[in-house]
Structures are given as structure tokens and as C-alpha cells.
Amino acid sequence: SAVISQKPSRDICQRGTSLTIQCQVDSQVTMMFWYRQQPGQSLTLIATANQGSEATYESGFVIDKFPISRPNLTFSTLTVSNMSPEDSSIYLCSVERASGGNEQFFGPGTRLTVL
Amino acid sequence: QKEVEQNSGPLSVPEGAIASLNCTYSDRGSQSFFWYRQYSGKSPELIMFIYSNGDKEDGRFTAQLNKASQYVSLLIRDSQPSDSATYLCAVKSVRGKLIFGQGTELSVKP
């Protein structure tokens, strides 16, 4: 599986501010995704990060709130904008490799607390 | 009906027993099925994937798929306390989106 890192691993932020989360993979991957896992819940897909074009957002998630960049095949960022306490969650990036099957592998996650 | 359904548990089994985790899905066109293990405070770890009807074995883990019944299961043989975690069933939809169940919490008692 690919080695995936995320920065920061955790953060505590004030209401109304923004946080950018970075996801770095050690090899080129075709697909990168961003998920949210709220406390005690399962994973919800926020968007697919498309290399060189705008991300594809799932229902209930919008670009103004969660802008995403993917400048190349190994790196992506997710920004959580104008944060409120409801944004407190774990944010995870995942990847599917360029070679291989359908499998998705997850990064270690970013634990965000908004006060 | 939820797209992917799992019993939330907790499922408690004694050490050495077989743990059986079940999952049903609604999208009949789904072709790829995954089991992730998530320890508390950690990210999900892929432990099994299955694409064809029948059984797939990997060590102590066996995934079973029945597309006609829209049912996928995970068996853990010789359960160990270290297997205590939440197990997430995930199904890839026809559109390519990975949809997760709510997860089943497994507790293996020594």
C-alpha cells in the first residue's frame, strides 16, 4: 500500500478561522479523496480531488466551505473555511493507486477541534 | 433503507472464538467490497477486499460475498484481544464512490 502522510495531525482552532490540511503520498496515485468522520460516526465522502481541475463534491459539501487543491499526482490540500464547532471532526485523505485494483488506503487523519 | 447496513454491536466474543460480522448493501450494481478495521483514535486500515461471489481467505480472516442476496460478511477465526476494534464494511457504488456502513464494534474478551 502507499505511504500517506497528513499535516497537521491535530489542531484546535477558533470559530471563524480556516485550516488547511495537507495530504502527501509517496507514489503517484490516480485518485485522491477527502472524508470526514464525526465523533462516533462512520466516514462520509466530502469530495474527490481531481488533478489539474476542480474537485468533485458530494451532496451537502460545497467548494466555498471546503476548497480543495490537487496540483500533482502525490499531493492534495483540503481547507475547512469559516469554521464552526460543528466542523469538529477527523478529516481523512485516501488514495487509490495508479497500478493495482480498486482498493483505497487512508492517511492517518487530522483531528480538528473548533472552539 | 441505508445504502450499506451493519449491526452496530457491540459484538462480544471470547478469545479463540469465531467472530462473524455482517453487512448488506442496496446497490445491486456494486462490484467491489471492502472491510476496514479501525482502532480507537486511528484511521481505517484495509484488511480484506472481495470482488467475486464466494469466499476469500487471508490468514485468520475470511470474506464472504453473495451478490444475489446483496450480502457480505467477515469471519475472524481464533479471535484475539488485539482484534478488538470497529470493523467498517465499504461498498463501491456503480459511480465509483466508496460508501461506508456505520461499523460494528467488536470486543474480544480474554
Side-chain angles (χ1 to χ4, degrees):
Chain A
S1 62
V3 176
I4 308 166
S5 60
Q6 281 186 239
K7 288 195 292 188
S9 58
R10 60 177 62 229
D11 208 341
I12 300 173
C13 300
Q14 295 298 318
R15 181 195 298 261
T17 63
S18 298
L19 176 72
T20 295
I21 302 167
Q22 298 179 5
C23 179
Q24 178 75 54
V25 193
D26 69 341
S27 58
Q28 291 187 346
V29 294
T30 49
M31 307 291 284
M32 295 183 77
F33 306 90
W34 287 98
Y35 288 82
R36 180 174 74 183
Q37 187 172 30
Q38 294 180 302
Q41 302 295 314
S42 190
L43 283 77
T44 300
L45 179 64
I46 297 172
T48 302
N50 300 310
Q51 194 259 329
S53 65
E54 194 171 285
T56 305
Y57 290 84
E58 296 299 309
S59 176
F61 298 97
V62 295
I63 188 171
D64 290 346
K65 176 67 176 177
F66 297 102
I68 288 170
S69 79
R70 188 177 173 193
N72 55 52
L73 293 176
T74 63
F75 185 79
S76 177
T77 66
L78 168 74
T79 299
V80 186
S81 302
N82 188 25
M83 289 184 284
S84 67
E86 292 71 35
D87 294 319
S88 297
S89 188
I90 298 172
Y91 292 87
L92 297 138
C93 73
S94 74
V95 305
E96 283 185 19
R97 289 178 299 171
S99 61
N102 272 330
E103 303 88 62
Q104 277 190 31
F105 301 94
F106 284 85
T110 296
R111 183 179 295 272
L112 171 63
T113 302
V114 184
L115 302 177
Chain B
Q1 181 190 7
K2 290 182 181 177
E3 293 180 271
V4 180
E5 292 204 56
Q6 296 180 251
N7 293 329
S8 59
L11 174 66
S12 183
V13 300
E15 185 175 355
I18 296 175
S20 178
L21 304 159
N22 304 314
C23 174
T24 58
Y25 60 95
S26 61
D27 185 352
R28 189 169 285 278
S30 298
Q31 297 294 322
S32 306
F33 307 87
F34 307 88
W35 283 99
Y36 289 84
R37 177 176 62 197
Q38 187 172 28
Y39 292 114
S40 180
K42 300 294 187 182
S43 66
E45 173 193 8
L46 180 65
I47 55 172
M48 288 290 285
F49 57 89
I50 186 166
Y51 303 144
S52 303
N53 274 330
D55 295 359
K56 179 181 178 182
E57 188 175 315
D58 184 2
R60 294 186 297 112
F61 298 101
T62 299
Q64 299 175 315
L65 174 62
N66 183 326
K67 291 184 180 179
S69 300
Q70 295 175 246
Y71 175 92
V72 58
S73 65
L74 178 70
L75 301 177
I76 306 174
R77 290 182 300 282
D78 188 24
S79 295
Q80 301 297 309
S82 59
D83 295 325
S84 298
T86 296
Y87 289 80
L88 298 163
C89 171
V91 177
K92 182 161 283 192
S93 71
V94 175
R95 288 173 45 229
K97 174 181 165 182
L98 199 59
I99 302 168
F100 285 83
Q102 285 299 103
T104 298
E105 183 184 347
L106 173 66
S107 177
V108 181
K109 304 294 186 184

